[in-house]
Amino acid sequence: MPSPTNDGYNVPGDMTIFTTCPAVVFTDLDGCLLDHHDYDHLPAKPARSRLKELGIPLIPVTSKTAAEIRALDIDFGSVPLISENGMVIDLPPHLFSSPHDKGGPIFAGKPYNEILAFLQTLPASLRASINGFHDMSAAEIAAVTGLKDVDAVRAKARQASEPFLWQGDEAGIAELSALATANGFKLTQGGRFYHLLSEGGKDWAVNWVIDHLKLIRPELLRTDLIRPDRPFHTIALGDSANDKAMLASVDYGIIIPNPGGSGLVISDASGRIIRAPHVGPRGWNAAIMGLLDELDLDTLASTK
Ligand SMILES: [Mg+2]
C-alpha cells in the first residue's frame, strides 16, 4: 500500500484551511449524513455550516464511487474524497504530496483494470457465474439496484472495486474466494451483491489522509511543537459495520443509530465513542453540535 511521502513538499502560497484547521471530520454518507430512505441531508445543515465557519474540513467516506459523490447536491469544497469503501482517495491538487505530483487517485490496493484482468483469468465455469457492474449496461444496473439510469452510470464508474451478482453455487463462491485471496484480492458481501476488491478499508483511507495532513502540519508530528492555540482533533461518523474500524481509529468516533436497530458496539476504540441521539442527519447534526460545544472550538476561532 502506498504511504504519504514528504519528498520536497512545499506549502503553496494559496494553502487552504488544512494548515490551521483545529479538527477534521470524516463522514459516512448513507444512513448517516444522508437519510437512509430519502437521502435528505438538510437536518445536518446547521452543523455543516458551523464546521465551515470554523474552517473544519468535512471529508466523505463512502461505498459510493467518486462520480456519485460529485453528483450529490452537497459542496464538500476542496477536500479529499474517499470512495468505494476506502479503496480510492482523490486528493485536490493543493494537497498533492509534492510539486512534481501529477495527481490521480490513490489506491489502497489494485486499480480497476487489474480487477478486470483477474476476472479474465478465472476458469470459464466461475467467470460465467459472475455478473458484474462491468458486464452490465447502466440500464441493467438500474434494473437490479433500483437506481435511476443517470445514477447507474455513476455507480458503474468504478476505480478499484467490482460489485457483482453471483449466479453459481456455494462451492463455486468458495473456489472464487480462494482464487481471489491467492491473487491479492478479497470478497466481501453486502446485501445482494458481492464485491471483489483489494485489502484496505475506510479506516485505512482515513488514516492515510490523516498521515498526509501531518506532512503539512509539522506540529502534529512533533510533540514539542504542539500548540494549544492550534489543536487538531480527528472526528468520524458512521452507522454500519463497515464503519467500525474507522470510528475506532479516530479521537472521536460518533455512532449514528440505525432506524429500529441498537447501533454498533465498538470495544477497541483508540479515542472516545459517542452515540448520536437520533438516526440519520438529525442525529449527525446534534452530535456534531454537541462535540463542537464541548471542544470549545468557536472560542478558539474567535480569539485567533
Ligand atoms: Mg452508512
Side-chain angles (χ1 to χ4, degrees):
M1 292 184 181
S3 301
T5 52
N6 193 356
D7 53 343
Y9 186 87
N10 290 311
V11 177
D14 62 348
M15 196 60 221
T16 64
I17 53 178
F18 282 100
T19 52
T20 56
C21 60
V24 59
V25 178
F26 298 90
T27 185
D28 174 48
L29 296 179
D30 294 303
C32 198
L33 180 59
L34 306 178
D35 181 86
H36 191 69
H37 298 291
D38 60 11
Y39 305 110
D40 184 21
H41 53 81
L42 286 182
K45 197 159 184 209
R48 278 180 45 224
S49 299
R50 197 163 154 201
L51 291 176
K52 198 169 181 184
E53 279 164 22
L54 292 170
I56 297 176
L58 176 61
I59 299 177
V61 187
T62 176
S63 59
K64 293 180 187 302
T65 64
E68 289 176 290
I69 299 174
R70 291 192 174 101
L72 295 171
D73 61 342
I74 299 176
D75 179 13
F76 288 101
S78 194
V79 300
L81 304 179
I82 300 176
S83 57
E84 297 185 47
N85 275 317
M87 304 313 295
V88 187
I89 304 169
D90 283 288
L91 289 179
H94 69 85
L95 290 180
F96 289 174
S97 292
S98 78
H100 315 296
D101 193 341
K102 298 278 192 295
I106 291 149
F107 299 111
K110 299 173 192 285
Y112 197 50
N113 60 352
E114 292 187 32
I115 294 175
L116 298 180
F118 166 70
L119 288 175
Q120 297 315 318
T121 68
L122 294 174
S125 60
L126 286 182
R127 184 66 186 89
S129 299
I130 293 171
N131 191 14
F133 272 28
H134 184 74
D135 303 318
M136 295 183 226
S137 67
E140 287 169 325
I141 292 172
V144 295
T145 58
L147 291 171
K148 293 182 198 151
D149 281 6
V150 63
D151 294 325
V153 170
R154 294 178 185 124
K156 194 172 154 64
R158 319 297 308 180
Q159 297 184 88
S161 63
E162 176 68 339
F164 66 91
L165 293 169
W166 175 249
Q167 295 160 336
D169 57 17
E170 284 200 15
I173 198 77
E175 187 184 351
L176 175 60
S177 181
L179 281 170
T181 304
N183 286 275
F185 297 100
K186 68 176 177 182
L187 291 186
T188 63
Q189 191 176 10
R192 291 177 62 199
F193 287 92
Y194 284 91
H195 297 258
L196 176 63
L197 64 175
S198 307
E199 290 297 330
K202 290 182 171 184
D203 58 316
W204 178 84
V206 161
N207 284 292
W208 191 97
V209 168
I210 291 169
D211 286 347
H212 191 78
L213 295 180
K214 285 176 177 173
L215 295 179
I216 55 176
R217 296 281 296 273
E219 80 274 19
L220 300 175
L221 285 175
R222 290 183 49 189
T223 51
D224 58 326
L225 283 178
I226 288 179
R227 294 166 46 177
D229 61 328
R230 292 180 70 187
F232 186 72
H233 306 285
T234 58
I235 301 164
L237 304 98
D239 71 312
S240 301
N242 70 346
D243 298 318
K244 280 175 76 168
M246 168 175 78
L247 299 181
S249 71
V250 292
D251 298 333
Y252 299 92
I254 299 174
I255 297 174
I256 303 292
N258 288 313
S262 54
L264 302 177
V265 175
I266 297 174
S267 53
D268 58 346
S270 58
R272 207 173 100 203
I273 296 297
I274 297 167
R275 288 185 184 275
H278 316 287
V279 301
R282 201 167 143 240
W284 198 101
N285 192 66
I288 288 290
M289 286 295 201
L291 185 56
L292 292 178
D293 287 345
E294 181 188 323
L295 294 175
D296 211 13
L297 298 178
D298 302 80
T299 309
L300 195 68
S302 65
T303 55
K304 267 186 189 163

